[in-house]
Structure formats: structure tokens, C-alpha cells
């Protein structure tokens, strides 16, 4: 299926609070179609307030826009009124509060608008004020102009909050626009964000935002790799080897591991094995944690904390009487104003209770770890003379000693997965831990989350981890030797496990993500088992049930997988006795897919499967005659050629067209082969 890129974790969007409720209400009214005579009436009003002389009004207008951009129907109106060009200058507003909320609005716009909006933001030169703000925040953090320590700390916190928002906008735009990445390279943004990363001991949220951004901009960016000095690499080392004090710090280490993997082409040859071991050690640690138990424990901790706080408040009220309550209310109002912007400006993780934050951080770290492993497994296989002499090191904590400080001289041999690295995967029990993650989420944890609105989104995250684990399993099965996977018996156990996962869900066809993931894992597993002559555990009836459900999926990947699975199974059955009826069913099914599926990719895969199933074997030859395979393929051949000619260009990639051309040639050869078979059997 090719390389699987790391996918971004979608952060919760802003929810304006505090004194900006009026603007938020206007934004909500716009979404419901009740916000004025014109569809973009609230947008016009909020954009007009951006020019108001009062900093507080400008800040609240930005907060309203941050809420409004979450409503997709409002985006065209904002585009018509040039919201990006109006918000851009406010990134450099004299008021720090306005800068922060303006960056927040742009962060939401870039996150909710997608590729087109982000590309338009670059066209409208948002990168100029964004980079300028990035640099000003960096200078501000270095400044010691304020004399009073308390004011200095408040100022630093505000600047760090602004920096966090700015980095998130930068991350969103760079992920969607190659032009933005080019500007990132040319403007020297790397040095600045690494300075922000250095604050990880005191501001892990800012460091996490930077790590996400770095993971994006370092992917397939050789120009930026040249900018990584020994100092820059040592900074990544410090973050990677920092002690784990929370689940958020574990997430940070995981993201940094992903960035270092992107830098594999500039790692010194002699350090490659140590680095691989260090990365896998961290990923193994992340995957070794039981997320279901974590959910249960953290939810119980939250319940107990809230209960204790409520009891303490009740005791305080009963002890001090109404007068103190009034004082508390006044103090609460003052406190609300003091922290309002901090509440409004969301961090990378949701600005909610600490237990929920910790749990989300672990789930995100596990998803990220699985995605990194998939990418590690999907490197192109090198030739023998490209292998470096690697040795697995157990001293992973010291893996970068001297390696990043020796960036002169002969470095930079591409880092590829070798036999030693395969061994490292098994040494850290990565396959076993991934296998465990393919199970359905803990039912008790799911039940707890389903009964609490703020925890309910975690159910989707747990399901996503299961799907990532299945994709990761696919990669490992395709990459590792059978011995590294535990031998033939382990593969049969794995096949039984996947079958149980699949058929324990009567409505599995409705869960598209799950179906794509598990069909991908099954395809790879069955292919490996067939190539090693390991008997398969799924019955023909089970396979046909899967394929009949999967072939109606709207997901092309699912349809390709189930067709391939039938081809693999059919080619095995073709060599066995007593399989005539099953082969006829498989052949008829594949012929129907070939002639009726709207996707040329699926049709091509179905033809390949037919070639595999009916290439050899007495039972296969008899089945091909009885289902009239030859005449069906002869009739379809000109149709297939015409479809490739008319539909191919513009609808399919160059690689796909090359594969389809190859299938077309093989179809001609297979028809010639079937003609000899039919002549021999009917003469």
C-alpha cells in the first residue's frame, strides 16, 4: 500500500469564554442562520471591530472570530471580507492579549479551513507577520527589561502563550502548504522553534506544539536538514532523554522520536544502531502502557478530586457564612478576568481537568508511536552494499553520546532497517505490544467514557489506536521474518485472533476505518502464510462473508484488500483437491468485481487475483471451464483497454497507470494461456 505518512492529531477547537460571550453568541447565531439579515453579517461586524481603538474590543472581536471560523458555512463570508489580511496585522498589535487572541483565531481558521484555506493564507502573506511574531516572541523571552520579578513572570507567561498559538498556526499552514515550508526554511524559523523547545522543563505544552511542528517540517525536507547543527541535534537529544514526569512529557518524547526519525539521513553512520535502539525503547515504553487501565484510574481520580473539592467548599460555606461567600464571589470574578485569556486560548491538549489531559496525552502518544513504527517499516529495502555495520546496543539511554556533536566529516549515510534493526524490534517486544493493541478497547473504560460528555471523545481515540495497531501489524508482518514474528504457530494464532476480531462484530462492514485496517492486516498475514506454506485458519465461508461485505464499501482500499485476500486464498486452494465449488465461487465473485466495480484500481486488482487463482492446478482448470472464464475475459478485454484510455489520465496517478498497463499486458498473456487450457480440456 506504499508509505503511510504520520497523521496529525486533531486538537480540540477553541471555545471562547469570559467577557467575549456576546461575540461567541453572535458566532453561534450565524451558524444557525439567525445572526442577521446577511449570512456573513456577524463576520462583518466582528471584522469591523478589529480596527477599534480599544484593545479589549479588538481582543473580543478576535475571540468571536475564533468561534465563528469553526462553522464551515461562515468561511466563504470571511474569505469575501478578507479576514486573513485583517487579522494578520493584529499579530503585531501593541497589546499582548490581542496578539494572543488574533493568533488563536488564525489557528482555528487554519485548522478548520483545510488545505485550500491554508494555501490562501500563504497567498495573502500571512507568513510575514507570523514569522515576525515568532521572532519577537523569541526576543521577548530573552529580554530582562522589566525590573519586578512578578511582572517579568507574567510577561513571560503571556509571551509563551502567544508563542504556543503562533507555532500552532505555523504547524497547520506548513502541513498544508509547501510554500509555507519553503518560507520556514528561508526565514530561519528552525532556530527559533528549537529555542521554544528548550523550554520543555517548564512549559511542556509549548514544547509539544513545537515537536508537532518539527515533525511536519522535517518530513521530506532535505533543505531544512542541512540547517541542523550539532547544537540543534543536541537539543533534540535533551528532550528525547528527559525524564518522564507526566503523560504529556511522554508525548513530547514520542514526538521528538518521530522528528529524529525524519532526520535519519544526517545521522552519523556509527550512531545509527544506537539511535534506532533509543527510539524503539521509547516507543516500546509508550506502547507498553495499558491505556484502558489509565482511563479507568484517571476517571476515578477525577471523580474523587471533584468530590473532595465539593465537600471542602460545602464545609467552608457552612463555617464562614454568607458574608464570606460574597467575598468569594467577588474574588471569583476577579480571578475569572485574570485568567480569562488563558482559558480561552486552548493548549495543544484540551484546557480541561488534569486527569483528562494526562489520559489524552497517553492515547495520543500511543497513536503517534504506532504511526512512527509504520513509517519506519515502510522504508525502501536497500541493496546489500548499502547496509551499514550496525549492532544493537542495550545502552539506549546514552545512544547519542558524541554522535550529534560530531557532525563534521563523513556522516549522512541513509538509515535503513537492517537485520539488526529487525532484531531490535523484537528485543523491545514491539510485535507483541502491537498485537495487544489490536484488541478492542477495554469495555469498562469505554462504558465510563460513554457516561461522561467530556470523556466520550476518548472512545474514538481508543478505536483509532486499535486501527493504527492493525496497520502497524500489517507492516511488521510484511517486513519481519517469520522467526521474528514467533514462527508458524504464532502466525496461525494471529490469524485466529484477527478472525475473532472481525466476526465478533456483526456489523463490521459499517465501521469503515476498522474494516480497512483489519483487511489490510489480514491481507499481509495471509500473503506471508501462503508464501511460507503455512496452513490458513480462516474458512472459505468466512472469507466469502468478509469479501461480500467489503466489496460494497465506499473505501477503495477495503475493496482492493478483500479482492487481494480472495486471490491469495484461491491460489492456495487451487493446489488442493476437492476445492472445485469454492474456486468457482471465488472466480464468479472476482469476475463480477472486474466488470462492475467503478474503480480501475479495484478492477485491476481483481484481474490480478484471477490470474493468481487460475494460473495452475487441476481444480482451477476445471473451475475456469465451468464458469466460462475465457469468454468472459475476452469480452472484457477491449472494455478494460478503453477504460484505461478514457478514464486513466487525470483520475489516477502515474504509478497506478503503470500498474494498470502491466495488468493489461498480463491479461493478454493470461487469455492466451486459458485458450491452451480450454483446448486441452475440451479436445
Amino acid at each position: 500500500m506504499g508509505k503511510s505518512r504520520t497523521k496529525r492529531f486533531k486538537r480540540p477547537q477553541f471555545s471562547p469564554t469570559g467577557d467575549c460571550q456576546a461575540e461567541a453568541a453572535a458566532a453561534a447565531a450565524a451558524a444557525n442562520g439567525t445572526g442577521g439579515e446577511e449570512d456573513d453579517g456577524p463576520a462583518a461586524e466582528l471584522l469591523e471591530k478589529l480596527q477599534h481603538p480599544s484593545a479589549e474590543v479588538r481582543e473580543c472581536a478576535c475571540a468571536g472570530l475564533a468561534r465563528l471560523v469553526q462553522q464551515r458555512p461562515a468561511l466563504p463570508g470571511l474569505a469575501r471580507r478578507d479576514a486573513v489580511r485583517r487579522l494578520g496585522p493584529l499579530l503585531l498589535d501593541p497589546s499582548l492579549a490581542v496578539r494572543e487572541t488574533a493568533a488563536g483565531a488564525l489557528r482555528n481558521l487554519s485548522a478548520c479551513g483545510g488545505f485550500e484555506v491554508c494555501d490562501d493564507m500563504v497567498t495573502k502573506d500571512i507568513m510575514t507577520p507570523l514569522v515576525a511574531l515568532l521572532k519577537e516572541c523569541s526576543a521577548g523571552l530573552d529580554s530582562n527589561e522589566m525590573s519586578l520579578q512578578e511582572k517579568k513572570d507574567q510577561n513571560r507567561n503571556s509571551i509563551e502563550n502567544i508563542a504556543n498559538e503562533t507555532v500552532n498556526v505555523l504547524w497547520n499552514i506548513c502541513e498544508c502548504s509547501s510554500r509555507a515550508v519553503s518560507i520556514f526554511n528561508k526565514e530561519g524559523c528552525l532556530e527559533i522553534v528549537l529555542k521554544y523547545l528548550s523550554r520543555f522543563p517548564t512549559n511542556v505544552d509549548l514544547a509539544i506544539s513545537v515537536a508537532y511542528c518539527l515533525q511536519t517540517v522535517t518530513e521530506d525536507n532535505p533543505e531544512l536538514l542541512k540547517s541542523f547543527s550539532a547544537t540543534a541535534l543536541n537539543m533534540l537529544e535533551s528532550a528525547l532523554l528527559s525524564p518522564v514526569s507526566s503523560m504529556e512529557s511522554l508525548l513530547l518524547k514520542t514526538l521528538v522520536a518521530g522528528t529524529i526519525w525524519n532526520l535519519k539521513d544526517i545521522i552519523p553512520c556509527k550512531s545509527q544502531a544506537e539511535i534506532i535502539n533509543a527510539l524503539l525503547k521509547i516507543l516500546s515504553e509508550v506502547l507498553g502502557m495499558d491505556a484502558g487501565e489509565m482511563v479507568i484510574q484517571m476517571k476515578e481520580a477525577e471523580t474523587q478530586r471533584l468530590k473532595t473539592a465539593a465537600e471542602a467548599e460545602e464545609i467552608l460555606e457552612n463555617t464562614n457564612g454568607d458574608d464570606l461567600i460574597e467575598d468569594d464571589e467577588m474574588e471569583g470574578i476577579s480571578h475569572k478576568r485574570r485568567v480569562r485569556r488563558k482559558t480561552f486560548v486552548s493548549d495543544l491538549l484540551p484546557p480541561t481537568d488534569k486527569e483528562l489531559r494526562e489520559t489524552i496525552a497517553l492515547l495520543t502518544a500511543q497513536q503517534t508511536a504506532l504511526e512512527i513504527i509504520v513509517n519506519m517499516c515502510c522504508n525502501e529495502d536497500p541493496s546489500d552494499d548499502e547496509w551499514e555495520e550496525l549492532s544493537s546496543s542495550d545502552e539506549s539511554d546514552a545512544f547519542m553520546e558524541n554522535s550529534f556533536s560530531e557532525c563534521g566529516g563523513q556522516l549522512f549515510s541513509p538509515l535503513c532497517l537492517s537485520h539488526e534493526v529487525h532484531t531490535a524490534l523484537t528485543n523491545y517486544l514491539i510485535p507483541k505490544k502491537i498485537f495487544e493493541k489490536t484488541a478492542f478497547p477495554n469495555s469498562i473504560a469505554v462504558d465510563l467514557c460513554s457516561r461522561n460528555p467530556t470523556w466520550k471523545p476518548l472512545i474514538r481515540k481508543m478505536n483509532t489506536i486499535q486501527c493504527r495497531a492493525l496497520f502497524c501489524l500489517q507492516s511488521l508482518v510484511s517486513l519481519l521474518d517469520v522467526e521474528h514474528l514467533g514462527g508458524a504457530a504464532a502466525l496461525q494464532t494471529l490469524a485466529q485472533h484477527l478472525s475473532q476480531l472481525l466476526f465478533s462484530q456483526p456489523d463490521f462492514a459499517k465501521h469503515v476505518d476498522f474494516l480497512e485496517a483489519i483487511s489490510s492486516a489480514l491481507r499481509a498475514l495471509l500473503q506471508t502464510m501462503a508464501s511460507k506454506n503455512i496452513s490458513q485458519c480462516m474458512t472459505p465461508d468466512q472469507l466469502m462473508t468478509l469479501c461480500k461485505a467489503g466489496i460494497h464499501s465506499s473505501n477503495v482500499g477495503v475493496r482492493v484488500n478483500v479482492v487481494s485476500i480472495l486471490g491469495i486464498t484461491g491460489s492456495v486452494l487451487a493446489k488442493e483437491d476437492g476445492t472445485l465449488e469454492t474456486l468457482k465461487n471465488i472466480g464468479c465473485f472476482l469476475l463480477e468485481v472486474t466488470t462492475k466495480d467503478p474503480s480501475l484500481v479495484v478492477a485491476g486488482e481483481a484481474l490480478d487475483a484471477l490470474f493468481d487463482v487460475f494460473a495452475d492446478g487441476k481444480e482451477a482448470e476445471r473451475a475456469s471451464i465451468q464458469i466460462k472464464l475465457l469468454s468472459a475475459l475476452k469480452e472484457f478485454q477491449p472494455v478494460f483497454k478503453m477504460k484505461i484510455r478514457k478514464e486513466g489520465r487525470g483520475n489516477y496517478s502515474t504509478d497506478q497507470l503503470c500498474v494498470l498497463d502491466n495488468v493489461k499486458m498480463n491479461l493478454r498473456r493470461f487469455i492466451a494461456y486459458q485458450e491452451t487450457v480450454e483446448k486441452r480440456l475440451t479436445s
Side-chain angles (χ1 to χ4, degrees), residues 491-507:
L491 293 187
Q492 290 178 321
T493 300
L494 180 55
Q496 290 175 338
H497 167 70
L498 294 180
S499 300
Q500 289 169 358
L501 283 180
L502 183 64
F503 296 108
S504 65
Q505 294 243 94
D507 59 345

Side-chain angles (χ1 to χ4, degrees), residues 339-545:
V339 301
R340 173 174 55 81
R341 286 191 298 274
K342 182 176 180 181
T343 303
F344 162 68
V345 181
S346 66
D347 296 319
L348 181 66
L349 300 173
T352 50
D353 294 331
K354 60 183 181 180
E355 295 88 0
L356 182 58
R357 288 173 60 90
E358 286 283 285
T359 308
I360 290 175
L362 174 60
L363 293 174
T364 308
Q366 291 193 340
Q367 178 181 332
T368 303
L370 290 166
E371 291 167 350
I372 292 170
I373 292 171
V374 168
N375 286 345
M376 292 174 76
C377 292
C378 288
N379 277 290
E380 294 183 15
D381 291 332
S383 58
D384 291 339
D385 60 349
E386 289 177 305
W387 293 120
E388 294 297 333
E389 188 66 33
L390 302 180
S391 60
S392 297
S393 170
D394 293 330
E395 300 180 11
S396 300
D397 289 338
F399 79 98
M400 290 188 195
E401 184 178 358
N402 298 322
S403 65
F404 282 163
S405 60
E406 297 176 359
C407 287
Q410 235 177 351
L411 314 174
F412 320 150
S413 173
L415 183 60
C416 301
L417 285 174
S418 67
H419 173 74
E420 292 291 340
V421 178
H422 298 177
T423 303
L425 281 168
T426 54
N427 283 347
Y428 288 113
L429 303 178
I430 298 291
K432 179 177 181 293
K433 292 176 181 179
I434 290 172
F435 175 85
E436 292 169 352
K437 297 300 177 190
T438 62
F440 288 114
N442 185 308
S443 58
I444 298 175
V446 170
D447 182 61
L448 282 173
C449 292
S450 66
R451 290 189 273 112
N452 189 297
T454 58
W455 287 71
K456 194 170 183 178
L458 270 63
I459 298 174
R460 182 176 178 83
K461 293 182 184 299
M462 288 187 280
N463 288 331
T464 298
I465 288 173
Q466 181 194 27
C467 290
R468 293 295 187 276
L470 287 166
F471 279 122
C472 203
L473 185 64
Q474 173 206 5
S475 297
L476 289 179
V477 168
S478 301
L479 174 77
L480 297 179
D481 296 332
V482 172
E483 292 71 24
H484 283 136
L485 294 169
L491 293 187
Q492 290 178 321
T493 300
L494 180 55
Q496 290 175 338
H497 167 70
L498 294 180
S499 300
Q500 289 169 358
L501 283 180
L502 183 64
F503 296 108
S504 65
Q505 294 243 94
D507 59 345
F508 66 82
K510 297 179 182 179
H511 304 282
V512 178
D513 291 342
F514 171 74
L515 185 54
E516 182 183 14
I518 197 166
S519 62
S520 297
L522 270 172
R523 177 184 180 179
L525 178 60
L526 294 176
Q527 181 65 60
T528 297
M529 294 175 73
S531 67
K532 302 297 182 182
N533 295 318
I534 300 172
S535 59
Q536 301 182 8
C537 301
M538 292 184 71
T539 67
D541 287 341
Q542 286 179 321
L543 287 170
M544 290 305 298
T545 299

Side-chain angles (χ1 to χ4, degrees), residues 106-124:
L106 288 167
R107 172 182 174 178
N108 262 16
L109 179 61
S110 60
C112 300
F115 285 89
E116 290 184 5
V117 168
C118 287
D119 197 58
D120 184 60
M121 291 173 74
V122 178
T123 300
K124 292 178 177 176

Side-chain angles (χ1 to χ4, degrees), residues 198-396:
S198 69
R199 309 186 81 83
F200 70 85
T202 57
N203 193 334
V204 70
D205 288 339
L206 175 58
I208 287 173
S209 298
V210 170
Y212 267 115
C213 186
L214 284 173
Q215 217 183 1
T216 293
V217 297
T218 54
E219 185 174 16
D220 300 325
N221 189 356
E223 181 183 347
L224 185 65
L225 299 194
K226 300 173 185 175
S227 303
F228 272 87
S229 62
T231 302
L233 294 170
N234 281 325
M235 173 49 60
L236 293 176
E237 174 191 3
S238 298
L240 188 73
L241 300 182
S242 61
V244 176
S245 57
S246 65
M247 292 301 103
E248 290 171 310
S249 64
L250 190 64
L251 171 59
L252 173 62
K253 288 163 68 76
T254 306
L255 292 167
V256 171
T259 298
I260 292 175
W261 174 253
N262 289 343
L263 302 178
K264 55 188 176 293
D265 289 346
I266 64 169
I267 301 301
C269 300
K270 64 181 181 180
S271 305
Q272 291 175 356
E274 290 86 353
I275 290 172
I276 281 289
N277 274 270
L279 298 185
L280 288 175
K281 181 179 180 182
I282 291 170
L283 302 183
S284 177
E285 179 183 355
V286 171
L287 294 175
M289 302 188 73
D290 190 328
E293 284 299 319
M294 178 75 169
V295 170
I296 295 169
Q297 293 172 12
M298 289 292 102
K299 189 67 187 72
E300 290 177 350
E302 180 193 67
T303 301
Q304 186 59 44
R305 177 176 59 80
L306 294 176
K307 179 182 177 182
T308 302
E311 291 173 350
E313 183 178 352
E314 183 178 355
I315 293 172
L316 187 64
E317 289 177 357
N318 293 337
T319 302
N320 294 286
D322 293 339
D323 291 341
L324 185 57
I325 292 174
E326 292 177 2
D327 291 342
D328 284 347
E329 288 172 351
M330 293 302 295
E331 182 180 346
I333 292 172
S334 174
H335 177 69
K336 182 178 180 181
R337 286 189 61 86
R338 187 165 61 251
V339 301
R340 173 174 55 81
R341 286 191 298 274
K342 182 176 180 181
T343 303
F344 162 68
V345 181
S346 66
D347 296 319
L348 181 66
L349 300 173
T352 50
D353 294 331
K354 60 183 181 180
E355 295 88 0
L356 182 58
R357 288 173 60 90
E358 286 283 285
T359 308
I360 290 175
L362 174 60
L363 293 174
T364 308
Q366 291 193 340
Q367 178 181 332
T368 303
L370 290 166
E371 291 167 350
I372 292 170
I373 292 171
V374 168
N375 286 345
M376 292 174 76
C377 292
C378 288
N379 277 290
E380 294 183 15
D381 291 332
S383 58
D384 291 339
D385 60 349
E386 289 177 305
W387 293 120
E388 294 297 333
E389 188 66 33
L390 302 180
S391 60
S392 297
S393 170
D394 293 330
E395 300 180 11
S396 300

